Amino acid sequence: MLSPATPKIALSGVTKRFGPKKVLNGIDLQVGKGESLVVIGGSGTGKSVMLKCILGLLQPDSGSIRVDGQETTALRPREREKMLHKFGMLFQGAALFDSLTVWENVAFGLMQGEHMPRAQAKEIAIAKLGAVGLTPDVGELSPSELSGGMQKRVGLARAIADEPEIIFFDEPTTGLDPIMADVINELIVQCVKDLGATAVTITHDMASARKIADRIAMIYQGQIIWTGHASDIDQSGNPYVDQFVHGRAEGPIKMQIRAL
Amino acid sequence: MGFLAATGRAFLVFLEATGRLALFTGSAVSHCVRPPFYPRQILRQMIDIGYYSLPVVGLTALFTGMVLALQSYSGFSRFQAEGAIATVVVLSITRELGPVLAGLMVAGRIGAAMAAEIGTMRVTEQIDALSTLSTNPMKYLVAPRLLAGLTMLPLLVVVADIIGVFGGFLVGVYRLDFNASSYISRTWEFLQPLDVISGLVKAAVFGFLIALMGCYHGYHSKGGAQGVGAATTNAVVSASIMILVWNYLITGMFFSTK
């Protein structure tokens, strides 16, 4: 049953620990259909782990993760592969396959996941490259010949190639200069809008968060400590959020200087 | 007390690693036999393992065959048994040295490359990316390598057998002045199908082990460049040791008289 109120993604009480270290400490989070949620938080607060739990790349220790109302934590591999068809992801380092050319990277999901013929997949790949502002001749290059910003664009083209319902962006602007970061932000907003997709972005770049987000959630010590409308981020009334947004060293968040 | 605890801890780590390898192997093998298959990947791995290993395996076999003939001549001439040289060469090469040396050379060449490639894919999140593109990494990365290792090593060993025997022939005829036709007939005289078959079975097992170790260590590597380096080393060392252990076990299965 999929009533209009059913969130696209719903996490409740999700925990994950690595050895003695509790990384996720009871995450509760809902993402509505067509919404763009940005999760902000410092390094090592469990942002990436949360995304990987939703995708099933990591198995949470407890809690429930529902996608379109369907519980995903106990899916069999075959069913999980089917569920992953709904997802696209832009990885932090782009994670392009370096043994393949750029267009083969973009067309990978179409050719392997959906068994589309090469020629047809290539056409779509070239179109998607165009959508992120890259010319067809880039398609013949190898990923290692591209700059960081171009790799991010190719990663984005790959993430949207088979028109997913949900797209994850893992630190999309990390390692880019401010102008290229803004270009990527614009592209993300554009692509998400064109697809009508649900987007979850994790970042610690506030400029990026303000640009992309409908709603913002803040994660701290493995828990969601604040969620609210993107426009409310400056009036959150939450000292943790304030400290993060303004990037102050002084405040309730104490930086872990030494490793645990 | 401290000593016992340390021993126990080491033992537990060993058990955990063994269990993890067993699970990995089981899953990898099951993906080898269930569709979808990736012919393009299998072909690429076959060419990498089979074709590009030919020079190194061929050279190894050539010089091994040559040195075998030379060594057994200097040894056997002490009790006038020079006539057995051709037999000694062909039996040693087909039963033992062909598969073991080819296996060790390929372990160094291919096992290391597999661990480095898959390990780099792991630390740069390419393996996670495969999953998000609805492609099972065990099927796409591991299964083709296992299949290629399993099928290509026996072919390489056939080549190694021939070149090795030819090396012995070269030394026998041109250096030790044997008659060419009698050397060849000596070579065939005591050779039985089982000698060659046992060597090929060994080769298939070694090929599987090399690919398995390369994939396993690459797949579980972590921590950037250093982790990939460690994975590469572990892949080569563990594959080499397993080759030597399994060589003994398989020899025992084929030729034990008791």
Side-chain angles (χ1 to χ4, degrees), chain A residues 52 84 96-98 108 112, chain B residues 38 125-126 128 131 135 140:
Chain A
K52 288 187 177 176
L84 284 173
L96 302 177
F97 306 127
D98 35 31
F108 193 91
Q112 307 296 353
Chain B
Y38 294 98
E125 296 187 305
Q126 290 180 51
D128 289 341
S131 299
T135 303
Y140 185 79

Side-chain angles (χ1 to χ4, degrees), chain A residues 4-121:
Chain A
T6 307
K8 195 75 181 165
I9 305 171
L11 287 76
S12 71
V14 174
T15 66
K16 176 74 185 172
R17 56 163 71 221
F18 293 107
K21 192 169 189 284
K22 268 192 177 168
V23 181
L24 299 185
N25 200 2
I27 294 266
D28 296 300
L29 187 66
Q30 298 195 338
V31 191
K33 191 172 178 338
E35 181 182 46
S36 174
L37 176 79
V38 171
V39 180
I40 56 172
S43 313
T45 47
K47 301 190 302 285
S48 291
V49 173
M50 185 184 76
L51 282 195
K52 288 187 177 176
C53 282
I54 300 174
L55 289 168
L57 300 173
L58 291 171
Q59 185 72 30
D61 297 330
S62 65
S64 138
I65 299 174
R66 285 166 186 275
V67 176
D68 285 330
Q70 185 196 16
E71 181 63 46
T72 66
T73 45
L75 280 183
R76 298 155 59 83
R78 188 69 44 107
E79 294 165 330
R80 179 171 299 284
E81 261 174 54
K82 215 185 217 170
M83 181 204 73
L84 284 173
H85 271 298
K86 294 180 186 172
F87 286 88
M89 175 149 177
L90 172 59
F91 286 86
Q92 190 176 348
L96 302 177
F97 306 127
D98 35 31
S99 59
L100 303 176
T101 63
V102 166
W103 81 261
E104 284 174 321
N105 264 284
V106 177
F108 193 91
L110 299 170
M111 292 193 295
Q112 307 296 353
E114 299 176 14
H115 307 291
M116 188 182 280
R118 278 177 80 82
Q120 192 187 348

